[in-house]
Amino acid sequence: MNVLIVFAHPEPQSFNGALLHTAVAALEAAGHAVQVSNLYAHLFDPVSDRHNFTTTRDASFFKQQAEELYATEHNGFAANIEAELQKLAWCDVMIWQFPLWWFSVPAILKGWVDRVFAMGRAYGNGRLYEHGPFRGKRALLSLTTGGSAADYSSGGLQGELAGILRPIHRGMLQFTGFTVLPPHVVYGPARQSETERQTVLEAWTARLPGLAAEAPLEVGRY
Amino acid sequence: MNVLIVFAHPEPQSFNGALLHTAVAALEAAGHAVQVSNLYAHLFDPVSDRHNFTTTRDASFFKQQAEELYATEHNGFAANIEAELQKLAWCDVMIWQFPLWWFSVPAILKGWVDRVFAMGRAYGNGRLYEHGPFRGKRALLSLTTGGSAADYSSGGLQGELAGILRPIHRGMLQFTGFTVLPPHVVYGPARQSETERQTVLEAWTARLPGLAAEAPLEVGRY
């Protein structure tokens, strides 16, 4: 498999960082190819604007989707955006490694989607959901939470995690054609012992080589 | 009322821009005070990191919540973050004006939440949901979509909008104590006639002065 890991955490020594390094090692040891988009390390700018493009369709009024279609036709994406699009084309499996912030991904990862999932390349002209350009590829959220598993269960303080993740699973991943795999969730690593964390990393190592054969997640439509 | 409008669109001439200017004019004409956080115009950086702070609790390992608590105790928020916190303290009503991108807010607005809703100031020590620091304040999402109302209904292409907005309503606004009002949604303004858009702006003008008396939205827990 060709695996793209998008990593969005400000602290390299964090448990998210450990999960990233574990994934790279486990996948490479199993003979898979890995590319990492380390958004904080690469100072990725999440603000979507004209700097997504080297081309300009209309200098007087910025309509992002129109600029995206124009850039698609004229090879007009900025180099860092084109590089991410090439990684998306290359990968069989995409993993997002991030901490759950405010019931969503960190802004640096949201902006990666805003800028890279461009009309013409990631969707458009009726190519969406099961007809999306990324059909045949698999995607998996690997995330940490502050709260416990009980907090993120039905009736818990925060409520069921599946519902919280649905806009990401449905509106970002399935929308562009990805087959979604069950998320890898680590609840409250900050309160885990070193032994518990080690067990988590071993389970992650054991899961990764088999991603191509896993049954997809039933996300459910809204 | 004191009203804070957070505006997140890259094109000032967009219909989002028209909704912003309409809101400012309508509220001020009714005698209310308005402050606008125009995130694109102010080049707001949505990447949450050490630059949220002037203080440093631990220079060797960045743990954001710990730095937030330390900054709360030592008046250590960066000037632009402190300015937003002051606006939040000042306002009775907060309006977010944005286009729905990927079933969520644009990254520049997500990062405003990531950076400004700091532990110690926006939540923490058991102060969350109905005990959140912003209790007594009201919040309202004013958004545009690309798709039609039918697309965002149950069984439609995208599915019910209420579910798509729930992580924002529940996980960002109610979590910090806000009372959530029904969203103001403009479906597909790009395909509306000038007359239709004018009607939308007039309805928005008519709604705004009565926000303090509106019945809250039933968001529902996950």
Side-chain angles (χ1 to χ4, degrees):
Chain A
M1 301 184 292
N2 291 339
V3 184
L4 168 62
I5 308 180
V6 185
F7 178 66
H9 196 289
E11 175 52 64
Q13 305 170 86
S14 64
F15 193 64
N16 272 269
L19 287 159
L20 168 67
H21 297 305
T22 296
V24 172
L27 289 164
E28 291 184 343
H32 303 298
V34 182
Q35 291 194 70
V36 177
S37 290
N38 188 332
L39 302 184
Y40 270 92
H42 298 159
L43 304 176
F44 184 80
D45 179 355
V47 177
S48 194
D49 200 343
R50 288 197 184 275
H51 74 304
N52 299 358
F53 313 105
T54 58
T55 47
T56 303
R57 178 182 172 276
D58 183 344
S60 65
F61 190 103
F62 179 68
K63 187 160 170 46
Q64 182 166 313
Q65 289 176 320
E67 296 294 340
E68 287 172 344
L69 288 176
Y70 190 81
T72 298
E73 289 162 17
H74 298 85
N75 192 26
F77 288 97
N80 65 332
I81 302 299
E82 182 62 39
E84 298 305 305
L85 285 164
Q86 296 291 339
K87 289 180 201 168
L88 281 162
W90 167 85
C91 76
D92 304 303
V93 176
M94 177 174 74
I95 298 170
W96 289 0
Q97 181 63 56
F98 65 96
L100 189 71
W101 285 357
W102 299 103
F103 283 30
S104 189
V105 295
I108 202 168
L109 178 48
K110 179 54 169 54
W112 184 85
V113 175
D114 290 347
R115 299 184 67 200
V116 176
F117 280 21
M119 192 174 201
R121 297 287 286 272
Y123 70 103
N125 292 320
R127 297 180 307 144
L128 71 174
Y129 291 117
E130 58 267 39
H131 306 292
F134 302 143
R135 66 190 175 283
K137 301 176 188 289
R138 305 181 143 226
L140 184 162
L141 305 182
S142 178
L143 61 140
T144 60
T145 67
S148 66
D151 287 344
Y152 285 98
S153 63
S154 178
L157 177 68
Q158 313 287 11
E160 204 164 19
L161 187 65
I164 293 169
L165 298 181
R166 195 183 294 183
I168 306 171
H169 281 148
R170 181 80 187 146
M172 303 183 198
L173 298 175
Q174 289 190 336
F175 186 92
T176 52
F178 281 102
T179 297
V180 176
L181 299 181
H184 181 251
V185 187
V186 185
Y187 295 100
R191 282 187 293 275
Q192 286 182 336
S193 68
E194 205 48 58
T195 309
E196 287 171 314
R197 283 185 218 157
Q198 204 52 48
T199 304
V200 166
L201 295 178
E202 285 163 16
W204 187 217
T205 294
R207 179 181 174 184
L208 285 156
L211 293 182
E214 278 194 12
L217 180 72
E218 290 289 336
V219 174
R221 301 183 56 168
Y222 276 106
Chain B
M1 302 185 288
N2 292 338
V3 183
L4 168 62
I5 307 180
V6 185
F7 178 65
H9 196 289
E11 175 51 66
Q13 305 170 86
S14 63
F15 194 64
N16 271 270
L19 287 159
L20 168 67
H21 297 306
T22 297
V24 173
L27 290 163
E28 290 185 342
H32 303 299
V34 182
Q35 290 194 71
V36 177
S37 290
N38 188 332
L39 302 183
Y40 270 92
H42 298 160
L43 304 176
F44 184 81
D45 178 355
V47 177
S48 195
D49 201 342
R50 288 196 184 277
H51 74 304
N52 299 358
F53 314 105
T54 57
T55 47
T56 303
R57 178 181 171 276
D58 184 345
S60 65
F61 189 102
F62 178 68
K63 188 162 169 45
Q64 182 166 314
Q65 290 176 319
E67 295 294 339
E68 288 172 343
L69 289 175
Y70 190 81
T72 298
E73 289 163 15
H74 298 86
N75 192 27
F77 288 97
N80 65 331
I81 303 299
E82 183 62 39
E84 299 304 306
L85 285 164
Q86 295 292 337
K87 290 180 201 168
L88 280 162
W90 168 85
C91 77
D92 304 304
V93 176
M94 178 174 73
I95 298 170
W96 289 359
Q97 180 63 57
F98 64 97
L100 189 71
W101 285 357
W102 299 104
F103 283 30
S104 189
V105 295
I108 201 168
L109 178 49
K110 179 53 168 53
W112 184 85
V113 175
D114 289 347
R115 299 184 67 201
V116 176
F117 281 22
M119 193 173 199
R121 298 287 288 272
Y123 71 103
N125 291 320
R127 296 179 306 145
L128 71 174
Y129 291 117
E130 59 268 38
H131 306 293
F134 302 144
R135 67 190 175 282
K137 302 177 187 289
R138 305 180 143 225
L140 184 162
L141 304 182
S142 177
L143 60 139
T144 60
T145 67
S148 66
D151 287 343
Y152 285 99
S153 62
S154 178
L157 177 68
Q158 314 287 12
E160 204 164 19
L161 188 65
I164 293 168
L165 298 181
R166 195 182 295 184
I168 307 171
H169 281 147
R170 181 80 188 146
M172 303 183 198
L173 298 175
Q174 289 190 337
F175 186 91
T176 52
F178 281 101
T179 297
V180 176
L181 299 182
H184 181 251
V185 186
V186 184
Y187 295 98
R191 283 187 292 275
Q192 287 182 336
S193 69
E194 205 48 56
T195 309
E196 287 171 315
R197 285 185 216 157
Q198 203 53 48
T199 304
V200 166
L201 295 178
E202 284 163 16
W204 188 217
T205 295
R207 179 180 174 185
L208 285 156
L211 293 182
E214 278 194 12
L217 179 73
E218 289 289 336
V219 174
R221 300 182 59 169
Y222 275 105

